[in-house]
Amino acid sequence: MRIAVFPGSFDPITLGHEDIVRRAAPLFDQIIVAVGVNSTKKSGFSNEERVAMLEAVFADLPSVKVQSFSGLTADFCKEVEAGWLLRGIRNSSDFEYECTIAQMTKKLSPNLETTVLFTKEEYSSISSTVVREIIANGGDVSAFVPPAALEFIQ
Ligand code: ADP
């Protein structure tokens, strides 16, 4: 089985995240969207809310599972027997970051392969951080968030 883990905060899921998963779906037998408990980022939505939003967005894709996890991503991958990590890249700063993480992951887990997909141009400026800011200030995020997730926000 080709199992990939797509780890992230997904706080909340955006059209950019959704697009990465949908484009990667044909490449793997199963994709586990893994909601990490991130201690450094200021969280907007609870773990349960983030999982519920993701499950609603990917309800039509039987090969996509949603799980939350804490601890090292590499350890979680071992636990679920994933051979691939999936990440999305928007720009050169994402590239720098993903490159560093991928190289360190390779040292920790030589059998785990990081795969990256580049974002579509129209999603390259979408970030969860900015979406949270807009929500906090009562703005409309329907251009940035999948419709199924929007229902949880409104
Ligand atoms: P993290 O806290 O690990 O950065 P995120 O939830 O912000 O988690 O993102 C998860 C993954 O999705 C990362 O690889 C990130 O680069 C990617 N990503 C975030 N926003 C977009 C977007 N608009 N288009 C494509 N990929 C994205």
Side-chain angles (χ1 to χ4, degrees):
M1 267 260 276
R2 298 170 64 88
I3 303 175
V5 164
F6 183 40
S9 317
F10 307 106
D11 191 18
I13 179 178
T14 68
L15 291 172
H17 296 130
E18 180 188 16
D19 184 57
I20 296 293
V21 172
R22 290 192 183 275
R23 285 161 57 205
L27 307 176
F28 300 104
D29 296 310
Q30 184 173 72
I31 296 178
I32 301 173
V33 182
V35 181
V37 181
N38 194 331
S39 48
T40 54
K41 277 193 184 175
K42 206 176 146 269
S43 178
F45 293 91
S46 72
N47 238 31
E48 293 72 24
E49 286 169 327
R50 287 182 273 159
V51 167
M53 278 190 252
L54 286 159
E55 280 175 346
V57 172
F58 298 117
D60 64 313
L61 288 182
S63 68
V64 175
K65 268 187 22 179
V66 182
Q67 252 178 274
S68 65
F69 78 105
S70 56
L72 283 179
T73 306
D75 290 340
F76 178 71
C77 289
K78 204 170 285 173
E79 190 187 310
V80 298
E81 297 178 340
W84 291 268
L85 264 176
L86 175 65
R87 297 289 286 175
I89 289 184
R90 285 166 289 189
N91 48 40
S92 53
S93 44
D94 274 359
F95 174 82
E96 299 276 339
Y97 179 71
E98 295 301 339
C99 187
T100 308
I101 297 288
Q103 286 166 344
M104 292 179 73
T105 301
K106 201 74 195 155
K107 290 255 191 273
L108 291 175
S109 306
N111 295 327
L112 190 59
E113 205 58 79
T114 299
T115 52
V116 297
L117 291 185
F118 294 92
T119 191
K120 280 190 194 153
E121 202 179 355
E122 61 261 43
Y123 302 141
S124 64
S125 58
I126 301 179
S127 79
S128 296
T129 309
V130 177
V131 167
R132 280 202 305 279
E133 283 293 311
I134 298 171
I135 294 168
N137 290 288
D140 176 12
V141 291
S142 55
F144 313 118
V145 170
L150 216 48
E151 287 173 24
F152 289 82
I153 294 166
Q154 282 159 352

